[in-house]
């Protein structure tokens, strides 16, 4: 780590006196200093001592057009001087109207209705409740269960945690959670050597088919993260699985909830990951990149068919009486509109192809490495999995915290990577330059070397 100035020392001390950090064993900070950041610019974060770090994970996957982006900042400033917030029940405002029109335009045709919340987990809660409530409103009261994929992640609130399947976050709270049906998916990591992808996907779809076939009368919806299970160690699967899933959901009269909170807005290479399977879900949850990484906002898009099942006289009590204080906040909507404006003006999805190809080319440095068990990429998401032995894929014991060593090595080399266990991944803001991609993957390679040394 870098030397600290008295200012940094002071901030660190004051932070640790009162701030409880997310997803952190606070005791780790006895050894590993917290890093007070003073400012950001583009892909760079700068700490209070002037040390700079490339934000190679987009500050937990939210940032897409760089820190302190002039366009987005200006839009928020303008909105702040006009209308900072108004409740969205009984009232409206132009930013939320414009944003809803644009989201409906961008997403597949059947998605026509936008319900807002203020973070990803809350969007999942909305989708779960809406699906359940839809079936109740149309008289199918037995439909109460949700199906999810193994190793999936949908957030941290109790409902969202229930439909997730990452042990590390979930196990402790098990007694509080609702029962869900967790089915293995078509994780590319588990594909047999030489197996054809189509055959593999078909084979791995069987358990899903079976659950839906046998229990569809009691199932509301299947919840999935299309193409990439980001918090689930960046595991990836083929788009054909989603096509099969859409067909099966139609056949068995079950909703499909697409959690595009992480993969939406170009992360998967297309604007939305569902496009790669040419499907439309019944509910699409969006957040993270929605505001360019500026402000918390989330939205659930759904169909007129769902909407209409709630639309009736008040006294039928069919309305969706769910709300959050900051639902549809105008500042966040202004940030989202500025973000979508950049996508449009700069033709970001097509322009990113160059970056995607560069990542692919640079990833070759990891081929055949004795301690890398799997290399994978979907669009702007790249990941490698460190193992004890490439051939057997024996994992490193989690207690050895190899990922943490990689994290520290990368920070010392001015790159912010924050591995998930033994998985190192790269998920940069789209304003990164090709030579900066090269630099980051070089540092990532050195970070692997630092992590695999036994001490
Ligand atoms: C981050 C994430 C969530 C939760 O969003 P929060 O804003 O952190 O509550 C849900 N689903 C996926 C796929 C995510 O990556």
């Amino acid at each position: 780590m870098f030397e600290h100035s008295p200012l940094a020392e002071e901030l660190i001390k004051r932070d640790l006196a009162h701030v409880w950090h997310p997803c952190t064993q606070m005791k780790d900070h006895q050894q590993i200093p917290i890093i007070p950041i003073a400012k950001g610019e583009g892909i760079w974060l700068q700490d209070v001592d002037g040390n700079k770090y490339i934000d190679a994970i987009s500050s937990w996957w939210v940032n897409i057009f760089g820190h302190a982006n002039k366009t987005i900042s200006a839009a928020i400033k303008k909105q702040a001087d006009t209308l900072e917030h108004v409740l969205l029940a009984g009232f409206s405002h132009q930013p939320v109207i414009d944003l809803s029109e644009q989201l409906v335009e961008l997403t597949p045709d059947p998605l026509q209705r936008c319900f807002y919340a203020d973070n990803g987990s809350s969007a999942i809660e909305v989708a779960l409740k809406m699906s359940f409530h839809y079936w109740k409103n149309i008289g199918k009261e037995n439909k109460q269960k949700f199906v999810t994929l193994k190793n999936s992640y949908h957030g941290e609130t109790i409902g969202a945690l229930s439909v997730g399947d990452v042990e590390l976050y979930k196990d402790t709270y098990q007694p509080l959670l609702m029962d869900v049906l967790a089915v293995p998916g078509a994780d590319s990591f588990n594909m047999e050597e030489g197996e054809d992808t189509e055959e593999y996907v078909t084979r791995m779809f069987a358990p899903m088919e079976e659950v839906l076939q046998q229990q569809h009368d009691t199932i509301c919806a299947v919840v999935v993260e299309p193409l990439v299970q980001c918090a689930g160690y960046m595991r990836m699967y083929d788009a054909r699985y989603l096509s099969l899933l859409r067909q099966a959901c139609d056949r068995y009269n079950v909703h499909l909830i697409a959690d595009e909170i992480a993969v939406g807005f170009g992360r998967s290479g297309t604007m939305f990951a569902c496009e790669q399977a040419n499907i439309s879900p019944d509910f699409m949850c969006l957040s993270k990149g929605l505001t360019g990484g500026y402000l918390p906002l989330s939205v659930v898009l759904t169909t007129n068919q769902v909407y209409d099942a709630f639309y009736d006289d008040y006294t039928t009590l069919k309305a969706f009486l769910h709300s959050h204080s900051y639902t549809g906040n105008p500042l966040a909507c202004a940030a989202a509109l500025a973000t979508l404006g950049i996508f449009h003006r700069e033709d970001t999805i097509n322009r990113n192809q160059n970056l995607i190809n560069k990542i692919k080319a640079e990833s070759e440095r990891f081929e055949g490495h004795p301690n890398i068990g799997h290399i994978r990429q979907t669009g702007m998401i790249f990941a490698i999995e460190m193992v004890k032995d490439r051939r057997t894929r024996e994992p490193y014991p989690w207690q050895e915290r190899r990922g943490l060593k990689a994290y520290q090595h990368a920070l010392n080399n001015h790159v912010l990577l924050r591995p998930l266990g033994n998985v190192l991944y790269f998920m940069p803001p789209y304003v990164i330059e090709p030579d900066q991609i090269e630099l980051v993957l070089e540092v990532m390679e050195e970070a692997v070397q630092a992590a695999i040394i036994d001490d």
Side-chain angles (χ1 to χ4, degrees):
M1 283 303 122
F2 307 112
E3 287 283 313
H4 291 137
S5 66
L7 170 64
E9 290 290 358
E10 155 96 5
L11 287 174
I12 292 168
K13 197 166 137 241
R14 284 170 55 200
D15 175 287
L16 294 179
H18 298 294
V19 184
W20 192 342
H21 289 266
C23 204
T24 298
Q25 171 47 266
M26 291 302 296
K27 192 172 182 212
D28 279 355
H29 286 308
Q30 287 185 358
Q31 279 91 44
I32 307 164
I34 205 104
I35 304 171
I37 294 295
K39 62 180 189 177
E41 190 185 354
I43 63 165
W44 294 97
L45 291 168
Q46 187 174 320
D47 70 20
V48 293
D49 291 335
N51 302 305
K52 291 172 79 178
Y53 311 88
I54 294 180
D55 187 353
I57 60 160
S58 298
S59 282
W60 265 349
W61 329 336
V62 298
N63 190 292
I64 47 185
F65 294 123
H67 295 280
N69 180 290
K70 295 214 161 37
T71 309
I72 305 172
S73 297
I76 295 172
K77 284 178 204 162
K78 190 159 166 239
Q79 187 61 44
D81 287 335
T82 315
L83 173 69
E84 79 304 329
H85 186 65
V86 62
L87 74 166
L88 201 62
F91 296 85
S92 191
H93 49 82
Q94 193 166 345
V96 81
I97 297 168
D98 289 345
L99 181 59
S100 304
E101 283 176 357
Q102 292 190 24
L103 289 172
V104 164
E105 179 65 31
L106 276 173
T107 51
D109 275 348
L111 300 173
Q112 292 289 323
R113 300 284 166 177
C114 302
F115 191 99
Y116 291 88
D118 46 23
N119 63 80
S121 305
S122 296
I124 295 293
E125 304 285 345
V126 166
L128 298 176
K129 283 176 69 180
M130 260 188 193
S131 173
F132 168 85
H133 197 163
Y134 168 87
W135 297 116
K136 188 172 158 68
N137 278 353
I138 67 161
K140 304 217 175 206
E141 313 229 339
N142 288 339
K143 281 176 162 300
Q144 301 192 349
K145 276 190 274 181
F146 294 94
V147 180
T148 170
L149 291 183
K150 292 249 182 230
N151 188 51
S152 58
Y153 178 87
H154 299 288
E156 303 288 355
T157 53
I158 299 294
L161 199 60
S162 299
V163 292
D165 185 54
V166 179
E167 279 172 29
L168 183 61
Y169 309 129
K170 182 168 180 172
D171 272 10
T172 310
Y173 307 101
Q174 200 67 56
L176 302 179
L177 306 180
M178 64 175 165
D179 277 337
V180 298
L181 300 159
V183 174
D187 190 341
S188 65
F189 183 83
N190 296 320
M191 206 158 115
E192 307 272 322
E193 204 160 330
E195 188 173 14
D196 174 71
T197 306
E198 179 132 25
E199 273 168 30
Y200 175 67
V201 168
T202 310
R203 176 161 71 84
M204 294 313 287
F205 193 73
M208 179 65 83
E209 178 78 32
E210 192 183 309
V211 164
L212 290 177
Q213 188 194 24
Q214 292 176 354
Q215 303 189 51
H216 61 93
D217 280 344
T218 59
I219 294 172
C220 302
V222 180
V223 195
V224 289
E225 296 157 272
L227 301 185
V228 188
Q229 298 185 315
C230 293
Y233 308 96
M234 297 292 163
R235 292 293 183 85
M236 300 177 184
Y237 62 93
D238 191 83
R240 278 165 283 195
Y241 188 89
L242 293 172
S243 312
L244 293 175
L245 183 58
R246 176 70 273 183
Q247 289 163 24
C249 286
D250 286 341
R251 224 176 314 124
Y252 295 115
N253 212 16
V254 161
H255 285 144
L256 177 58
I257 302 174
D259 176 354
E260 295 236 11
I261 290 165
V263 292
F265 299 103
R267 278 293 166 202
S268 73
T270 45
M271 192 63 172
F272 301 108
C274 282
E275 290 169 31
Q276 295 184 40
N278 211 359
I279 60 152
S280 176
D282 300 286
F283 300 90
M284 186 187 272
C285 301
L286 301 173
S287 187
K288 293 206 162 103
L290 173 59
T291 61
Y294 264 71
L295 286 164
L297 180 70
S298 65
V299 59
V300 179
L301 285 114
T302 191
T303 60
N304 278 332
Q305 190 185 356
V306 169
Y307 180 81
D308 289 344
F310 292 80
Y311 195 90
D312 208 338
D313 295 329
Y314 185 80
T315 48
T316 60
L317 295 178
K318 284 185 175 172
F320 191 59
L321 301 182
H322 180 111
S323 65
H324 296 285
S325 309
Y326 285 100
T327 297
N329 173 256
L331 293 169
C333 290
L337 285 167
T339 301
L340 293 182
I342 300 175
F343 268 105
H344 185 71
R345 274 194 310 282
E346 302 193 350
D347 194 19
T348 304
I349 297 296
N350 286 321
R351 252 193 76 248
N352 278 357
Q353 200 51 53
N354 184 35
L355 302 176
I356 291 168
N357 294 340
K358 178 68 178 173
I359 297 170
K360 175 130 196 60
E362 289 300 324
S363 72
E364 277 167 22
R365 67 180 71 238
F366 298 105
E367 299 285 350
H369 189 292
N371 299 99
I372 293 177
H374 200 231
I375 304 170
R376 48 189 179 262
Q377 182 185 358
T378 300
M380 293 293 291
I381 309 171
F382 170 72
I384 55 174
E385 192 142 345
M386 295 191 292
V387 290
K388 246 182 165 158
D389 180 346
R390 184 166 80 97
R391 283 162 306 127
T392 61
R393 279 193 180 164
E394 185 191 344
Y396 285 112
W398 62 268
Q399 295 87 341
E400 293 177 4
R401 305 187 77 182
R402 306 263 171 182
L404 182 62
K405 290 182 194 167
Y407 166 78
Q408 290 178 300
H409 181 91
L411 270 186
N412 283 328
N413 289 278
H414 306 280
V415 175
L416 164 52
L417 297 173
R418 196 175 193 273
L420 294 154
N422 292 326
V423 173
L424 272 66
Y425 69 91
F426 176 52
M427 201 171 183
Y430 309 159
V431 292
I432 196 166
E433 302 283 339
D435 57 339
Q436 294 168 325
I437 289 176
E438 187 171 335
L439 185 92
V440 172
L441 291 219
E442 255 169 43
V443 170
M444 202 162 160
E445 190 180 8
E446 294 160 16
V448 170
Q449 289 314 118
I452 63 178
I453 294 169
D454 292 305
D455 42 30

